[in-house]
Amino acid sequence: MFLLGFLDDLLFGASLTVYGVLFLPVCALTALWVRGGDLLTAPVVVPIAFAAGLLTVSDGGGGFLGGLMGLVTALSTQAGWLYGGTLIAGVIVIVRRIRLIRRRRRFRG
């Protein structure tokens, strides 16, 4: 997401909407590619990645406090993308986890 944030800044001039749209497939791919033993970490990691990438596209004034204020503002105004991506990752992880448990039960007995 950090790299996508830079790409968004270069191509679209730090568009938060483009960043949010790019976040959704990243969430799905993260939930699909994570290994079986780490399934429950995907819904936790994607919001952290969203915040890390926002550092590149949020409007921050001068200095540390201006950047922090820009990040907090972007997080509050773009919460829909964050919740939507986390929901996508969560649903995919739950489906994968159910399938994994069923497969294990089938082999046991």
Side-chain angles (χ1 to χ4, degrees), residues 8-46:
D8 175 26
D9 190 25
L10 280 171
L11 297 177
F12 303 105
S15 169
L16 291 173
T17 304
V18 171
Y19 179 77
V21 169
L22 291 173
F23 177 66
L24 299 179
V26 168
C27 290
L29 291 174
T30 300
L32 289 171
W33 285 342
V34 70
R35 64 188 188 106
D38 294 331
L39 277 175
L40 299 178
T41 62
V44 175
V45 170
V46 291

Side-chain angles (χ1 to χ4, degrees), residues 38-106:
D38 294 331
L39 277 175
L40 299 178
T41 62
V44 175
V45 170
V46 291
I48 296 170
F50 184 82
L54 269 181
L55 292 171
T56 61
V57 294
S58 62
D59 289 332
F64 175 75
L65 291 178
L68 183 62
M69 182 59 82
L71 178 64
V72 170
T73 302
L75 279 171
S76 65
T77 60
Q78 303 303 313
W81 295 112
L82 178 61
Y83 294 148
T86 306
L87 180 66
I88 289 170
V91 168
I92 292 172
V93 163
I94 289 171
V95 169
R96 284 189 60 200
R97 180 74 178 165
I98 290 170
R99 292 179 70 204
L100 181 67
I101 290 171
R102 285 184 181 167
R103 206 174 309 139
R104 285 181 184 170
R105 285 185 183 168
R106 204 174 312 143

